[in-house]
Amino acid sequence: MRESTIMKIHYGTALAAVALVAVHILMRLTQGFAESLEYESVLANYKFIPYAIMLELILILLAVHGFNGLRVILIELKQGRIYEKAVSYGCLAAMIGLIAYGSRTIIMTNMGLV
Amino acid sequence: MAQVSSISNEQSPTAKSITLKILRYNPKHDESSQFMEFDVQYEKWTTVLDVILDVKKYFDHSVAVRYSCRQATCGSCGMIINGKPKLACFTKISELNSNVVTVEPMKNFPVIRDLAVKFEKLFDSHQKIKPYLIRDDTELVSDEKEFLQTPKEVEQYIQFANCIKCGLCNSACPTMATDSSFVGPQALAQAYRYVADSRDKGKDSRLKMIDDSHGIWRCHFAGSCSQVCPKGVDPAMGIQLLRGYMLGFSS
Ligand code: HEM
Ligand code: SF4
Ligand code: FES
């Protein structure tokens, strides 16, 4: 992928994350902080489908943004063809892994499997 | 290797003295770099380059330094003076307000010897961005055609045309310090200089060249390049304006 395309995604995910994380924080303010972390309350959040979809989106946006950011830091730290390839594919794999693991939690809870 | 020397003869009544510390290093046989100290005289108008040349003349002719024009035009004498990248011929001792003046080779460049550094990578990057107007050949051979520009069109790029390729911006850039493949603020500012020129038709090939994993996106807005440029070029602004083209804000 062209570097400009990757960076457009990087800036786009950052902007979208600001909007969605703001909604996420506002939703958390609807109840007390300790209360919002109670087991039943967390389960209820995951079961409320629009909110669960939003959490999934935040997960994807920040995983893409964060791991691309990590790729940038690592290729600026050290250079070399093999190293840079390893960093790029490593970050992509970690990104997919984190999204898969997070999605598993969201989907399983949503479906009442926990 | 450290030594203290001074010029004692023919002292002028207005002359003052400072300690000049020069970082000496010859990669061919020195294991590490070392400062050498010299007591030197200066007047109100004496530049850092003048005192380095005095050291060469009176104490140690083996001090390596690159210079030519002595008037901030050729871009040869960039070095780190009291911690900041500056042109030695364009920096007066009196403006430094210090009794000790330290000179070191520019950072982010390989050292040849003492204060002289290798410019190959800067020139390569500069050449890669095609630092010339790209036109249809037929228009170039015709001697009837002039490429007129309005003052407004000239204003778009003229500041960037002042670059003397001294490399101070690359020396100040924090990305250059760790990313050996980064194209650097000097070449990026020059890419903008030609992209923004209304006579040029080479925008696409230039933008493609800098749209690389070690290209324009590795600038993180530190702005150090613009702080140190002795010619009033603002590479940081050029980079952001170029980004505007790449993100579709300018055409
Ligand atoms: C939602 C608020 C956020 C915004 C507006 C934002 C914005 C940005 C921007 C504009 C850059 C590019 C900086 C540059 O090129 O110099 C960047 C880089 C980066 N971001 Fe974010 N970001 C946000 C959240 C996050 C989060 C939560 C993480 C961690 C998961 C993260 C990780 C990174 C990393 C690792 C970099 C690369 C470091 C760098 O380039 O300086 N960001 N971010
Ligand atoms: S932009 Fe300024 S600091 Fe950089 S090489 Fe050109 S003249 Fe020197
Ligand atoms: S000697 Fe030419 S710029 Fe300093």
Side-chain angles (χ1 to χ4, degrees):
Chain A
M1 212 189 286
R2 273 235 199 119
E3 196 66 19
S4 53
T5 314
I6 299 175
M7 293 313 285
K8 277 176 197 162
I9 295 171
H10 192 78
Y11 300 147
T13 49
L15 286 176
V18 170
L20 293 191
V21 172
V23 175
H24 173 54
I25 293 170
L26 286 174
M27 294 285 279
R28 294 300 92 234
L29 293 178
T30 57
Q31 49 188 160
F33 184 64
E35 201 186 320
S36 90
L37 287 175
E38 277 170 19
Y39 186 70
E40 294 306 322
S41 161
V42 174
L43 283 193
N45 274 314
Y46 280 135
K47 286 191 175 149
F48 177 41
I49 290 186
Y51 191 67
I53 291 173
M54 198 193 75
L55 289 181
E56 176 72 25
L57 283 176
I58 293 178
L59 170 68
I60 296 171
L61 291 172
L62 287 183
V64 169
H65 180 89
F67 281 109
N68 181 52
L70 183 64
R71 177 192 68 98
V72 168
I73 294 174
L74 292 176
I75 62 168
E76 279 181 14
L77 209 58
K78 204 168 108 72
Q79 291 77 47
R81 218 175 57 83
I82 297 168
Y83 168 79
E84 288 177 36
K85 269 217 149 76
V87 163
S88 294
Y89 287 113
C91 286
L92 190 64
M95 182 193 301
I96 293 168
L98 185 72
I99 293 174
Y101 180 70
S103 304
R104 176 184 158 276
T105 309
I106 295 173
I107 292 167
M108 281 177 68
T109 321
N110 184 268
M111 288 165 59
L113 298 175
V114 180
Chain B
M1 191 155 99
Q3 75 176 53
V4 177
S5 323
S6 64
I7 311 172
S8 49
N9 55 342
E10 51 180 296
Q11 187 155 358
S12 123
T14 51
K16 295 184 206 148
S17 78
I18 46 123
T19 305
L20 179 69
K21 288 172 77 175
I22 304 180
L23 195 64
R24 305 290 310 265
Y25 177 54
N26 185 343
K28 282 209 183 106
H29 42 75
D30 296 344
E31 278 193 358
S32 60
S33 51
Q34 237 179 338
F35 277 108
M36 243 177 155
E37 293 188 9
F38 302 92
D39 275 348
V40 288
Q41 310 284 316
Y42 74 98
E43 302 276 356
K44 215 162 50 184
W45 53 84
T46 308
T47 65
V48 174
L49 182 62
D50 291 334
V51 292
I52 295 172
L53 294 179
D54 277 351
V55 165
K56 278 176 77 70
K57 197 164 162 190
Y58 297 110
F59 306 130
D60 185 345
H61 65 87
S62 74
V63 170
V65 58
R66 187 192 280 119
Y67 71 100
S68 176
C69 69
R70 303 188 189 205
Q71 52 170 18
T73 304
C74 71
S76 305
C77 67
M79 59 186 71
I80 308 290
I81 301 175
N82 281 1
K84 297 222 171 85
K86 289 171 187 276
L87 292 179
C89 73
F90 199 47
T91 307
K92 289 202 288 273
I93 298 285
S94 54
E95 81 194 47
L96 293 170
N97 291 322
S98 168
N99 292 329
V100 179
V101 172
T102 310
V103 291
E104 299 161 80
M106 279 200 289
K107 304 244 188 318
N108 309 336
F109 286 81
V111 173
I112 300 172
R113 192 154 61 83
D114 303 337
L115 303 169
V117 295
K118 285 194 184 132
F119 266 72
E120 278 80 352
K121 183 166 174 264
L122 182 140
F123 292 146
D124 273 358
S125 304
H126 185 232
Q127 211 165 13
K128 263 199 215 134
I129 59 96
K130 308 188 176 172
Y132 39 81
L133 293 179
I134 299 176
R135 297 287 306 198
D136 239 350
D137 285 349
T138 48
E139 283 179 280
L140 276 185
V141 287
S142 151
D143 51 11
E144 287 159 29
K145 185 152 177 132
E146 278 185 286
F147 301 122
L148 295 180
Q149 287 188 303
T150 63
K152 232 188 160 75
E153 284 168 335
V154 174
E155 237 172 62
Q156 297 297 313
Y157 70 85
I158 193 69
Q159 173 197 27
F160 298 91
N162 289 337
C163 173
I164 55 171
K165 289 98 201 157
C166 62
L168 291 180
C169 51
N170 282 15
S171 174
C173 172
T175 302
M176 293 293 297
T178 61
D179 186 346
S180 58
S181 310
F182 181 45
V183 56
Q186 188 278 332
L188 288 171
Q190 289 316 292
Y192 178 74
R193 181 252 172 272
Y194 289 95
V195 165
D197 191 319
S198 61
R199 298 164 296 181
D200 184 72
K201 301 272 180 269
K203 184 173 98 220
D204 294 343
S205 64
R206 272 191 209 96
L207 292 186
K208 214 177 196 166
M209 191 265 135
I210 55 173
D211 190 5
D212 173 89
S213 61
H214 294 284
I216 185 165
W217 306 103
R218 297 294 81 84
C219 161
H220 303 287
F221 330 106
S224 322
C225 49
S226 300
Q227 286 206 346
V228 302
C229 178
K231 302 303 281 186
V233 179
D234 188 346
M237 184 172 79
I239 294 170
Q240 300 321 316
L241 292 171
L242 262 186
R243 270 200 175 136
Y245 283 93
M246 311 195 81
L247 294 172
F249 298 127
S250 330
S251 52

